[in-house]
Amino acid sequence: MMEFLNFYVVPGIVTGSIYALGAIGITLIFGILRFGHFAHGDLATSGAYLALGATALLGLTPWAALPVAMLLTALLAYGIHRLFYRHLESRPKILTVIASLGIGMMLRSVVQVVWGVDPLAYGSGIARAQAFGPLMLRPREIATLALTLALVATLLAFLRYSKWGKAMRAMSDNPDLARLCGVDNDGVTRLTWFIVGALAAASGFCLGINTELTTMMGWSAMLSMFAAAVLGGVGRVEGAVVGGLVIGLAEELSVLVVPSPYKSATAFVILLAILLLRPQGIFKGKVL
Amino acid sequence: MSATAARDRPQPILIMHQVRGGYGDADILQGVSLTVMPQEIVVIVGPNGAGKSTAMKAVFGLVRIRSGAIVFDGEDITGWSPDRIVRRGISYVPQVDNVFREMTVHENLEMGAFLAKGDLSAAFDRIYALFPDLKAKRHALAGDLSGGQRQMVAIGRALMLEPQLLLLDEPTAGLSPKYMQQIFQICRDVRDSGVSILLVEQHAKQALAFCDRGYVLATGANRHEGSGRELLENPEIAQMFLGG
Ligand SMILES: Nc1ncnc2c1ncn2[C@@H]1O[C@H](COP(=O)(O)OP(=O)(O)OP(=O)(O)O)[C@@H](O)[C@H]1O
Ligand SMILES: [Mg+2]
């Protein structure tokens, strides 16, 4: 039983948190800007490597480098919007979707050129797990969960209570009416990219610190993140969090029933099932 | 006519003068003219596709205007952006999708005052006094309300900024007769509080009976105008769509 908790459930929740942070960004872009952002995984990768760069250049510890990376990735996401996506805004959304695939490739290539293609890590040293009653948790796992919790709580409070947060929800709900109310939709779009970029960096960083840094890390995780966003209900932040945790757990637990190479197919199966059975997702999001 | 008489005569709050315009290259509006006086309820009726909604959107800056002018409260607002028009004192309730479904009633009203600064509690009190039903439902999602309540949310949202002119596009569409009369009564209350109302109505007979003045629009142009009673008694109009 303890083995089950410590070898499957705990890693499942940690992976799930990482997916959740990525899926929130995907779901915000889907909801507010209305397209599937396929550069999202590579945005997370960029954030992870920017944190690595900050540890090397500024001599910061990995966790101290994270805010720097979040800020830089927010700027990066905003820059991508300004340079590329913004010019496609009035065109059919499929063009932006395809463009985002290209942007993803571009980001990945830049990371490969700067940092090489071999796996890297934030630091050496083996983190020993501490016992919490029957649970064995590593400090980085605790930190990942705490960070996810803090970011999600902050974002939900922002969306619920702040004027700009309400404007984001209004634009996701009914963009024409939002404009009639005087909401500056371009401003909301800019704000969305900042938030999405920062969260993507957090997701990539947590993935990197719990495993290792590879240039494909974000791209490989993206299918699971999309599955999480769709499972939770497109446009629903709470949904993305629940979806992320479900997908993360399902992937770790799948090893109990199918050979581990099929682990990453779990998300795909769940995605297919949800699209067939309940396309609005758990939390009644937009139907794709 | 003496100079004083001219000064005392109230100025129209809204004048649409020979407005032509539309969405793409073709003009939907082929010269629409109408006026709304202060504290007046003016109704636009006409067959489907006549351009009623388009005329209303033209006032609110949502349609490309090729020629003609729109004057609000003595100021030419032709070609202004919607948010500038909101600030100037006009609110608009679209025909469809006129609430934020995933936001609460209270948040919907709050969005109506998005451009306002400072304390909104007086505005909320005013709207909840006008719509007691909404106060009880203020934490419900607008998407979960009945059609009539949703219209009230939409109208309440539009009244948050205390507009001088309210544009309502088919506020009674799909509502039961009871709700229709309730919406009409709300319109009267709103008018009596000093707001002018221009509304588009599908229920021509009932709307003409309750309005102060009406216009009949067909194929993008005015066909008839007059008091509600005059229009109701006009046999041509009766034939047109009142079903005799
Ligand atoms: N967004 C739009 N883009 C292009 N054409 C439009 C648009 N909205 C309306 N039209 C066209 O403009 C014409 C007038 O439409 P409008 O909605 O103003 O009619 P209406 O009198 O309000 O009709 P209804 O009673 O059905 O609401 C129609 O031919 C319609 O197809
Ligand atoms: Mg209409």
Side-chain angles (χ1 to χ4, degrees):
Chain A
M1 183 59 197
M2 285 310 108
E3 188 182 299
F4 173 73
L5 272 182
N6 287 319
F7 288 115
Y8 299 100
V9 176
V10 169
I13 291 176
V14 171
T15 311
S17 304
I18 294 166
Y19 290 163
L21 291 174
I24 292 171
I26 289 172
T27 217
L28 284 175
I29 296 173
F30 248 133
I32 297 174
L33 308 176
R34 285 159 213 274
F35 70 90
H37 186 227
F38 286 99
H40 206 74
D42 298 299
L43 197 60
T45 307
S46 309
Y49 277 87
L50 283 170
L52 187 68
T55 60
L57 290 178
L58 307 175
L60 299 171
T61 64
W63 286 95
L66 173 62
V68 178
M70 285 173 71
L71 181 66
L72 291 176
T73 313
L75 291 171
L76 175 65
Y78 171 65
I80 292 170
H81 159 69
R82 275 298 296 259
L83 281 175
F84 302 101
Y85 302 148
R86 195 175 58 132
H87 303 287
L88 299 170
E89 259 168 9
S90 56
R91 311 286 301 278
K93 290 295 175 202
I94 186 69
L95 295 183
T96 316
V97 174
I98 302 297
S100 76
L101 273 170
I103 301 287
M105 246 182 264
M106 207 168 77
L107 291 174
R108 218 176 310 146
S109 307
V110 170
V111 170
Q112 284 167 351
V113 168
V114 176
W115 282 281
V117 292
D118 295 327
L120 297 169
Y122 287 118
S124 54
I126 297 149
R128 201 179 296 278
Q130 290 166 282
F132 293 85
L135 283 183
M136 300 292 285
L137 291 172
R138 292 177 182 81
R140 62 170 193 241
E141 292 171 337
I142 299 172
T144 300
L145 298 180
L147 176 73
T148 305
L149 204 65
L151 289 176
V152 168
T154 308
L155 179 64
L156 286 177
F158 175 77
L159 289 173
R160 193 175 176 96
Y161 299 113
S162 78
K163 187 158 180 148
W164 278 95
K166 285 176 199 161
M168 283 174 70
R169 280 161 58 210
M171 190 168 152
S172 168
D173 194 322
N174 189 336
D176 292 333
L177 192 60
R179 202 171 300 120
L180 295 187
C181 292
V183 171
D184 167 12
N185 287 15
D186 291 339
V188 171
T189 304
R190 283 194 292 275
L191 174 64
T192 304
W193 281 112
F194 272 104
I195 294 175
V196 161
L199 291 174
S203 167
F205 173 85
C206 290
L207 187 57
I209 205 154
N210 282 288
T211 57
E212 58 184 5
L213 289 118
T214 71
T215 56
M216 294 299 285
M217 60 196 273
W219 174 253
S220 326
M222 192 169 59
L223 174 66
S224 305
M225 293 174 180
F226 264 94
V230 174
L231 175 63
V234 169
R236 309 299 299 254
V237 171
E238 335 76 288
V241 176
V242 173
L245 291 173
V246 170
I247 301 282
L249 276 169
E251 285 186 4
E252 296 298 333
L253 296 179
S254 71
V255 184
L256 294 171
V257 282
V258 293
S260 62
Y262 292 103
K263 185 163 144 181
S264 51
T266 317
F268 191 64
V269 172
I270 296 179
L271 181 60
L272 277 184
I274 196 81
L275 285 176
L276 286 173
L277 301 176
R278 193 178 157 88
Q280 74 273 38
I282 301 173
F283 281 83
K284 247 179 100 193
K286 300 182 190 345
V287 175
L288 301 177
Chain B
M1 189 192 302
S2 76
T4 10
R7 215 179 310 131
D8 287 350
R9 201 176 49 199
Q11 293 296 307
I13 188 85
L14 178 77
I15 305 171
M16 274 183 97
H17 180 70
Q18 286 298 321
V19 172
R20 290 175 166 272
Y23 304 94
D25 290 334
D27 286 347
I28 305 290
L29 304 178
Q30 311 277 352
V32 172
S33 300
L34 58 82
T35 57
V36 179
M37 302 303 285
Q39 294 215 38
E40 194 180 36
I41 297 179
V42 172
V43 67
I44 305 176
V45 295
N48 290 112
K52 306 184 294 296
S53 296
T54 308
M56 195 162 257
K57 286 186 206 161
V59 175
F60 206 70
L62 295 167
V63 163
R64 181 188 49 75
I65 296 173
R66 188 191 299 283
S67 66
I70 295 166
V71 178
F72 173 67
D73 195 17
E75 188 169 11
D76 188 337
I77 60 164
T78 320
W80 283 27
S81 66
D83 63 306
R84 196 168 165 208
I85 293 174
V86 175
R87 278 178 232 262
R88 185 66 182 76
I90 305 182
S91 280
Y92 164 60
V93 178
Q95 183 172 352
V96 290
D97 288 334
N98 52 22
V99 297
F100 297 105
R101 290 164 173 272
E102 290 157 33
M103 299 177 90
T104 65
V105 168
H106 199 76
E107 287 172 338
N108 267 273
L109 298 182
E110 217 177 330
M111 287 310 296
F114 190 77
L115 291 171
K117 297 204 164 50
D119 188 23
L120 293 178
S121 51
F124 280 118
D125 290 346
R126 195 164 45 79
I127 302 301
Y128 286 137
L130 196 59
F131 302 99
D133 290 6
L134 293 189
K135 184 160 192 177
K137 292 260 177 193
R138 68 184 181 281
H139 297 303
L141 295 185
D144 293 341
L145 301 180
S146 72
Q149 290 168 332
R150 223 180 285 163
Q151 280 302 341
M152 292 182 197
V153 173
I155 297 172
R157 194 216 85 232
L159 288 172
M160 280 296 282
L161 285 181
E162 297 196 57
Q164 289 170 270
L165 174 66
L166 181 61
L167 308 176
L168 300 176
D169 197 345
E170 299 204 18
T172 67
L175 298 189
S176 67
K178 173 180 148 265
Y179 261 131
M180 180 171 28
Q181 290 310 326
Q182 199 175 341
I183 298 274
F184 285 167
Q185 186 53 49
I186 287 162
C187 288
R188 286 191 203 99
D189 293 346
V190 168
R191 172 195 60 193
D192 296 342
S193 76
V195 182
S196 312
I197 301 180
L198 176 64
L199 85 164
V200 169
E201 258 304 331
Q202 197 69 248
H203 302 104
K205 201 180 276 183
Q206 293 90 333
L208 289 174
F210 118 96
C211 72
D212 296 317
R213 262 176 341 104
Y215 289 84
V216 178
L217 221 69
T219 56
N222 302 51
R223 284 299 144 86
H224 305 275
E225 68 171 279
S227 73
R229 177 171 301 276
E230 282 162 14
L231 292 175
L232 276 173
E233 285 167 359
N234 183 329
E236 197 183 333
I237 295 170
Q239 240 210 328
M240 204 162 156
F241 41 43
L242 300 183

